[in-house]
């Protein structure tokens, strides 16, 4: 009887060992499968950037809604155009892909509804952050009018140029306002840019995507960014329209507008999916 029990006990131990080994192998294969999945991003595809313009927590509605800032100035915005450029994407390995410079200049315009930027031929990868410029860098500007390509025409057609000599408007922000001291509806204009090569207001922004953007032959992500127009005048640097309703070529205030404008961008969310499912 005891001998039979020992035999059964030994058989049970063998079964448990087999089960344990099977479990370990299953976990190993599963982990290996996960690792294989993580490296299956191949080829290239586009990354779409949607710039959703807002004022604080409200959607920006041109000419139809009013917004009050911390200085008790009530604005009705009729134009918000800005230049974004020089895109770079950094992946989860710390590697950075720099978008083709000559193709890297875009005007986003709430006025025309053109608030989407499509970056094409992005290598497959898991991207965790994005860097871009607000405006046109000096290297590009100093190539002269001939070196601007089609973008010069785009800028002229969207009210983003003063003149070639004066340079690009990086930001064109217009509307009307009233305040405690300005009770009659008054126009405001904030046009910010570099002025030739003497005053460089080009700024760069780096944003964490929060959710990884996956790019492959089958994956074409959409990154939704929010641009808070309230930050232009009511950001870290407070600029009162009641004191100066037109800000253009100003060595004092134009750089502050540039800093405020660079701070108005955040990533709201990333939509991953095939290019056919967006």
């Amino acid at each position: 009887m005891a001998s039979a029990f020992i035999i059964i006990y030994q058989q049970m131990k063998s079964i448990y060992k087999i089960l344990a080994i099977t479990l370990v192998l299953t976990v190993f294969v599963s982990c290996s499968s996960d690792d294989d999945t993580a490296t299956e991003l191949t080829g290239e595809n586009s990354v779409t950037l949607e710039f959703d313009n807002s004022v604080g927590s409200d959607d920006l509605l041109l000419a139809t809604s009013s917004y009050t800032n911390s200085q008790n100035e009530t604005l009705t915005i009729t134009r918000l155009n800005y230049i974004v450029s020089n895109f770079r994407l950094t992946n989860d390995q710390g590697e950075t892909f720099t978008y083709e410079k000559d193709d890297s200049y875009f005007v986003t315009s709430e006025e025309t509804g053109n608030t989407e930027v499509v970056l094409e031929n992005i290598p497959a990868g898991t991207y965790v952050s994005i860097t871009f410029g607000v405006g046109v860098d000096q290297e590009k500007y100093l190539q002269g009018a001939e070196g601007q390509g089609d973008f010069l025409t785009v800028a002229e057609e969207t009210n983003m140029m003063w003149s070639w000599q004066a340079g690009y408007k990086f930001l064109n922000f217009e509307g009307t306002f009233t305040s405690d001291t300005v009770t009659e509806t008054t126009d405001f204009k904030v046009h910010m840019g570099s002025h030739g090569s003497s005053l460089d207001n080009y700024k760069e922004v780096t944003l964490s995507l929060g959710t990884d953007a996956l790019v492959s032959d089958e994956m074409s992500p959409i990154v939704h960014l929010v641009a808070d127009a309230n930050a232009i005048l009511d950001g870290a640097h407070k600029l009162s329209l009641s004191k100066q309703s037109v800000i253009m070529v100003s060595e004092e205030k134009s750089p502050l507008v540039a800093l405020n404008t660079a701070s108005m961008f955040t990533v709201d969310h990333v939509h991953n999916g095939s290019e056919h499912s967006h």
Side-chain angles (χ1 to χ4, degrees):
M1 184 73 176
S3 176
F5 176 79
I6 291 172
I7 292 172
I8 293 171
Y9 174 72
Q10 290 176 338
Q11 288 176 339
M12 292 297 292
K13 283 181 65 178
S14 297
I15 292 171
Y16 286 142
K17 285 182 180 179
I18 292 170
L19 289 173
I21 292 170
T22 302
L23 178 61
V24 170
L25 288 174
T26 300
V27 172
F28 177 77
V29 171
S30 176
C31 290
S32 297
S33 177
D34 289 344
D35 291 342
D36 290 343
T37 299
T39 59
E40 281 175 1
L41 300 176
T42 59
E44 62 182 28
N45 215 321
S46 62
V47 173
T48 300
L49 309 174
E50 290 279 4
F51 288 86
D52 298 325
N53 296 314
S54 70
V55 183
S57 60
D58 298 321
D59 288 338
L60 172 59
L61 301 174
L62 293 182
T64 58
S65 292
S66 296
Y67 311 92
T68 302
N69 62 25
S70 67
Q71 300 176 83
N72 207 32
E73 297 173 333
T74 300
L75 285 65
T76 299
I77 300 166
T78 57
R79 172 176 289 164
L80 177 61
N81 298 349
Y82 47 87
I83 294 173
V84 287
S85 61
N86 294 315
F87 290 88
R88 302 193 298 276
L89 292 163
T90 301
N91 66 21
D92 58 351
Q93 303 300 310
E95 301 164 337
T96 297
F97 171 76
T98 300
Y99 199 63
E100 179 64 36
K101 187 172 181 62
D102 287 343
D103 299 327
S104 193
Y105 297 84
F106 304 87
V107 174
T108 65
S109 171
E110 186 70 23
E111 189 176 22
T112 65
N114 184 20
T115 58
E116 179 180 279
V117 170
V118 179
L119 305 178
E120 299 178 338
N121 304 317
I122 305 300
T126 300
Y127 292 97
V128 298
S129 69
I130 187 169
T131 299
F132 59 91
V134 181
V136 177
D137 54 289
Q138 286 290 301
E139 179 185 347
K140 184 67 172 177
Y141 177 72
L142 292 175
Q143 291 178 0
E146 293 297 322
Q148 307 307 301
D150 294 339
F151 184 70
L152 183 60
T153 300
V154 172
E156 290 172 339
E157 291 176 348
T158 52
N159 297 295
M160 299 304 283
M161 292 286 296
W162 280 296
S163 66
W164 174 244
Q165 289 73 24
Y168 292 100
K169 300 175 188 177
F170 300 169
L171 169 75
N172 189 332
F173 182 49
E174 297 182 358
T176 61
F177 80 102
T178 59
S179 69
D180 293 338
T181 57
V182 181
T183 56
E184 294 290 329
T185 300
T186 301
D187 292 338
F188 74 82
K189 292 184 179 182
V190 180
H191 297 173
M192 179 273 295
S194 294
H195 308 302
S197 57
S198 61
L199 181 59
D200 186 2
N201 282 323
Y202 173 80
K203 303 295 178 189
E204 286 202 335
V205 180
T206 298
L207 300 173
S208 170
L209 297 181
T211 300
D212 296 345
L214 307 178
V215 178
S216 73
D217 280 334
E218 299 298 325
M219 304 284 283
S220 174
I222 299 175
V223 180
H224 291 263
L225 300 103
V226 173
D228 179 7
N230 187 61
I232 296 169
L233 298 172
D234 204 20
H237 303 280
K238 306 297 181 184
L239 300 168
S240 172
L241 293 174
S242 302
K243 295 180 180 178
Q244 184 174 344
S245 60
V246 177
I247 301 174
M248 292 189 188
V249 183
S250 169
E251 292 187 3
E252 175 192 0
K253 293 189 176 181
S254 187
L256 301 181
V257 173
L259 290 169
N260 281 353
T261 301
S263 74
M264 74 178 182
F265 300 98
T266 56
V267 175
D268 186 71
H269 66 279
V270 175
H271 177 74
N272 284 304
S274 71
E275 57 188 333
H276 305 297
S277 66
H278 291 325

